């Protein structure tokens, strides 16, 4: 498979060479695209140095910080334009372990979208306090039930998509940023009828640099999910009624 691992960065100078090296060791046949949002700490320049020394590494420079969703959409369009048939989302801080990627890629034989999941049997987190686990689990559960997407880790950002899946999702319709972008992508995947599968991963807390997560990002996600759920309720009720009628006809 012609895979590319997209790593969005903003002030990840401490991590970028370390994480790219781990990716290249874990999946030597995959390419790496670093999408840097004008990091003032020199991450972009370090990324250029990595690309100069490894033909499998490329860098997409963006003018400034516009959010995780915008960075991933730009990287995904870049990958599709260059003919990559498998596209991976991965954070730069090491919480998404490159060593977990081979089984995620192998699972594509039965799915269009792979979610690296912390909340299925075999998955988990390391170094999180109880309140962070609760926030993640409750947020995922709320999004799962509100939107009708049968995925236990709705907010995790370690994902693998086929090129066909991204084409069917329609990236122009996914406008969310940050924490909410991951929910938005899975909701669009569900609406598009794509096969989604979760593969267990271990998610360690970042060791270096600062997290971009905030309470405002979580609140934005929950408000957006509520709006989507209310807006899609009539269509979901029609689909459910249609399934009941079809089942009654079979009987």
């Amino acid at each position: 498979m012609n895979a590319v691992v997209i790593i969005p960065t903003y002030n990840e100078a401490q991590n970028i060479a370390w994480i790219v090296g781990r990716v290249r060791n874990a999946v030597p046949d995959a390419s790496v695209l670093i999408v840097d949002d004008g990091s003032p700490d020199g991450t972009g320049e370090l990324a250029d140095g990595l690309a100069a020394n490894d033909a499998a590494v490329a860098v997409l420079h963006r003018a400034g910080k516009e959010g995780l969703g915008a960075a991933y959409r730009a990287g995904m369009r870049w990958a599709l334009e260059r003919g990559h048939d498998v596209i991976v989302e991965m954070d730069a801080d090491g919480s998404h372990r490159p060593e977990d990627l081979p089984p995620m890629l192998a699972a594509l034989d039965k799915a269009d979208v792979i979610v690296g999941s912390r909340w299925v049997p075999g998955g988990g987190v390391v170094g999180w306090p109880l309140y962070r686990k609760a926030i993640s689990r409750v947020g995922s559960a709320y999004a799962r039930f509100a939107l009708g997407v049968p995925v236990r880790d709705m907010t995790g950002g370690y994902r693998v998509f086929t090129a066909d899946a991204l084409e069917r999702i329609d990236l122009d319709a996914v406008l969310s940023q940050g924490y909410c972008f991951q929910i938005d992508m899975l909701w669009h995947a569900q609406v598009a009828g794509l096969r989604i599968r979760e593969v267990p991963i271990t998610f360690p807390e970042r060791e270096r640099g600062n997290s971009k997560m905030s309470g405002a990002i979580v609140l934005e996600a929950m408000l957006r999910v509520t709006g989507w759920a209310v807006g899609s309720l009539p269509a979901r009720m029609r689909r459910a009624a249609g399934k009941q009628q079809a089942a009654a006809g079979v009987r």
Side-chain angles (χ1 to χ4, degrees), residues 10-243:
Y10 185 79
N11 287 349
E12 295 288 357
Q14 297 179 67
N15 294 318
I16 190 60
W18 170 68
I19 196 65
V20 169
R22 287 176 63 186
V23 172
R24 297 289 289 124
N25 285 330
V27 280
D29 293 335
S31 301
V32 176
L33 173 65
I34 302 163
V35 183
D36 186 65
D37 275 6
S39 298
D41 72 345
T43 301
E45 290 77 6
L46 290 172
D48 286 336
L50 295 174
N53 290 304
D54 186 345
V57 179
V59 185
L60 178 59
H61 291 279
R62 287 156 44 80
K65 188 177 181 182
E66 298 178 17
L68 183 68
Y72 269 132
R73 285 193 300 272
M76 289 170 176
R77 291 190 180 100
W78 182 98
L80 292 173
E81 289 169 359
R82 286 157 180 79
H84 290 283
D85 53 22
V86 173
I87 295 93
V88 180
E89 294 183 11
M90 180 185 288
D91 287 349
D93 61 11
S95 291
H96 297 160
R97 303 189 307 175
E99 296 76 18
D100 287 333
L101 186 53
M104 292 172 65
L105 293 172
L108 280 176
D109 63 345
K110 297 180 180 178
D112 307 299
V113 180
I114 302 298
V115 177
S117 181
R118 299 162 291 185
W119 308 128
V120 295
V125 297
V126 177
W128 273 19
L130 184 60
Y131 80 90
R132 282 195 65 186
K133 294 179 182 179
I135 290 172
S136 180
R137 282 184 174 273
V138 170
S140 285
Y142 179 71
R144 179 170 69 252
F145 289 116
L147 300 175
V149 181
V151 172
R152 299 195 66 83
D153 195 343
M154 289 286 290
T155 61
Y158 201 179
R159 310 269 177 88
V160 181
F161 298 86
T162 65
D164 179 66
L166 290 181
E167 296 283 6
R168 290 169 61 186
I169 284 172
D170 182 11
L171 292 175
D172 291 334
V174 183
L175 301 178
S176 303
Q177 304 298 339
Y179 192 76
C180 198
F181 172 77
Q182 307 299 355
I183 301 173
D184 204 350
M185 286 290 287
L186 283 185
W187 184 45
H188 277 81
Q190 171 84 352
V191 171
L194 299 174
R195 300 169 301 163
I196 306 170
R197 181 178 176 186
E198 293 184 87
V199 172
I201 63 166
T202 298
F203 185 99
E205 176 64 293
R206 72 153 60 219
E207 298 177 8
R208 298 177 287 188
N210 298 314
S211 173
K212 313 316 190 277
M213 183 59 65
S214 70
I217 291 173
V218 176
L219 179 60
E220 177 211 14
M222 295 304 100
L223 291 175
R224 282 181 176 268
V225 167
T226 301
W228 296 334
V230 171
S232 65
L233 185 58
R236 290 167 62 188
M237 292 178 67
R238 287 194 297 270
R239 288 197 297 269
K243 290 179 181 179

